[in-house]
Amino acid sequence: MRQHAAMIAPQLLLLVLLQLCIPFSVSQSSTMPPPHKGEFPQGTLSNGEKIPLVGLGCASGVREAHVLSAIDSGYRLLDTAQSYNWGYHEDEVGRAMKKSTENTSEVFVQTKIHPEDLGYDATKRAVQVSLKRLGTSRLDSVLLHKPRCWEGACQKEPEGTWQESWLALEELVDAGIVGAIGICDVDDALLDELLQQRIKPHIIQNWMDPFHQGVHIRERCMREGILFQGYSSLGSQWVHHRGHEMNPVLNSPILVSIANKYDVSVAQIVINWATRHGMSVLPASTNPERQKSNIDSFRFDLSEEEMHAIDALDGTTPKPKKKDPNEVSLIFENRGGAPIESYWVSDDSHDEEVHVGSIEAGNEIVMT
């Protein structure tokens, strides 16, 4: 669902919100990356292979039909994994690829090895499993899903370490079975060690959203020619693991106001902002219309002021907000051909009408 704020002078609201932003203290480059200018963003890995910067995350309820609709909608990057216990269905991605009438040879397929399969031999066996499930003889990218196991994550003790798995992946790259390799959840110490390997990672995948931007690791990756991929880029980590009942990204007043200015969703704002910084993002969606809108996030260009305002959100996450059981949100849609003026009358206003705003033809307004 598209996110909207009440349409009360949106340009004025945006200006006030941007002015209220605290100065951003991260060390992002002072030179703002160029705008997209309507072009779909592509990256180039250190092995020379091209990769779309927006793909479909194949977890969070994404199944065969959803993958098929994404491919048919133009997605050319699929991010899956062997971790069925974390919501992935690698075999269904393979079936969707087989059923699609699109040219799936153009689809960049990335999978991830479960940490319980760490170890040289275990990783080689795991890659063979992925090749069979995905119905291919070559994987464009294989990541180690986690560098280690922990209590509750693995059903068996891994045979070895991520270093031994990395050696196996290097040999699979040499053999042409795997194109690119990488790992998830990387900190400085792990990145230091990765940079000492014979084949440096092509891709690092970390949690990243506007409130948790990972600027330091991102900038290190950029200097080393490593593509930084963000997972949970639309804020789901705050809901699933940080105690928020409401998603602070999708409900951020600053992001909602910018989205209203361009008449797009907050997701499209985040995708446009992230890819302009050179990041790859992998929003999961089971909704065909939302899938389409996510990859159609480049018909507008954020101003430098708006880019800086989103940069400034890093580390400013609001405290967890509980949903008010007495709060109701209503969406009014104007399906006519002329603007409609909207008014609000509260119980205690003695029937005094408060003008909320105009609903242009074909638009909608949210009142809470």
Side-chain angles (χ1 to χ4, degrees), residues 195-211:
L195 293 175
Q196 301 304 313
Q197 305 306 306
R198 178 172 66 85
I199 299 180
K200 293 192 301 184
H202 302 95
I203 297 170
I204 293 296
Q205 190 181 112
N206 280 8
W207 168 28
M208 189 289 304
D209 67 39
F211 291 112

Side-chain angles (χ1 to χ4, degrees), residues 1-8 246 251 256 260 324 326-334 340-347 349 352-359 363-368:
M1 181 182 295
R2 285 166 56 179
Q3 305 295 316
H4 294 275
M7 301 289 284
I8 305 174
M246 296 179 65
N251 291 283
V256 169
N260 283 339
D324 184 346
N326 299 314
E327 183 177 275
V328 176
S329 292
L330 300 175
I331 300 175
F332 297 93
E333 183 180 358
N334 180 3
I340 296 175
E341 301 301 320
S342 60
Y343 296 85
W344 173 265
V345 180
S346 66
D347 291 338
S349 65
E352 179 183 353
E353 294 181 340
V354 178
H355 184 240
V356 176
S358 298
I359 311 176
N363 288 346
E364 61 188 34
I365 189 171
V366 178
M367 298 180 67
T368 301

Side-chain angles (χ1 to χ4, degrees), residues 79-100:
D79 175 75
T80 186
Q82 296 186 342
S83 311
Y84 283 69
N85 56 326
W86 293 339
Y88 292 89
H89 296 271
E90 191 179 43
D91 58 330
E92 296 191 31
V93 173
R95 290 204 294 269
M97 294 272 289
K98 186 175 182 179
K99 289 181 180 180
S100 176

Side-chain angles (χ1 to χ4, degrees), residues 45-281:
L45 301 176
S46 58
N47 62 5
E49 292 191 25
K50 300 289 185 180
I51 180 173
L53 292 187
V54 182
L56 180 72
C58 297
S60 304
V62 172
R63 306 299 291 265
E64 179 182 330
H66 311 125
V67 177
L68 187 60
S69 73
I71 296 172
D72 292 345
S73 296
Y75 279 77
R76 292 299 179 264
L77 167 60
L78 302 175
D79 175 75
T80 186
Q82 296 186 342
S83 311
Y84 283 69
N85 56 326
W86 293 339
Y88 292 89
H89 296 271
E90 191 179 43
D91 58 330
E92 296 191 31
V93 173
R95 290 204 294 269
M97 294 272 289
K98 186 175 182 179
K99 289 181 180 180
S100 176
T101 57
E102 299 290 316
N103 181 7
T104 55
S105 66
E106 298 176 349
V107 178
F108 189 105
V109 179
Q110 174 171 280
T111 193
K112 298 184 283 293
I113 304 296
H114 197 287
E116 66 186 22
D117 287 316
L118 291 174
Y120 179 86
D121 290 330
T123 293
K124 287 206 168 182
R125 291 195 300 270
V127 167
Q128 291 301 316
V129 170
S130 288
L131 290 169
K132 183 176 180 180
R133 287 176 179 168
L134 293 166
T136 184
S137 60
R138 182 183 184 273
L139 295 166
D140 296 298
S141 174
V142 175
L143 311 183
L144 301 180
H145 211 151
K146 305 290 179 184
R148 63 189 65 83
C149 272
W150 65 93
E151 187 176 354
C154 299
Q155 297 179 352
K156 63 181 181 181
E157 189 72 20
E159 295 178 9
T161 64
W162 76 260
Q163 292 92 338
E164 293 165 335
S165 290
W166 198 263
L167 176 60
L169 291 179
E170 289 177 328
E171 291 181 0
L172 291 167
V173 171
D174 294 338
I177 297 172
V178 173
I181 56 177
I183 191 169
C184 305
D185 295 331
V186 174
D187 58 16
D188 273 314
L190 180 54
L191 184 54
D192 287 341
E193 192 166 354
L194 286 163
L195 293 175
Q196 301 304 313
Q197 305 306 306
R198 178 172 66 85
I199 299 180
K200 293 192 301 184
H202 302 95
I203 297 170
I204 293 296
Q205 190 181 112
N206 280 8
W207 168 28
M208 189 289 304
D209 67 39
F211 291 112
H212 186 274
Q213 297 179 21
V215 177
H216 173 67
I217 292 293
R218 273 170 43 202
E219 291 185 340
R220 286 196 66 188
C221 287
M222 184 176 294
R223 290 195 297 270
E224 298 292 340
I226 301 168
L227 177 66
F228 183 96
Q229 276 184 341
Y231 67 78
S232 301
S233 297
L234 301 182
S236 59
Q237 286 286 312
W238 300 104
V239 176
H240 298 317
H241 302 292
R242 297 295 187 275
H244 286 251
E245 288 191 8
M246 296 179 65
N247 185 317
V249 172
L250 298 183
N251 291 283
S252 163
I254 290 175
L255 295 174
V256 169
S257 186
I258 297 173
N260 283 339
K261 173 185 171 182
Y262 294 102
D263 192 26
V264 298
S265 68
V266 169
Q268 287 173 294
I269 295 296
V270 174
I271 292 167
N272 188 296
W273 162 79
T275 53
R276 188 162 163 187
H277 275 305
M279 291 180 270
S280 172
V281 290

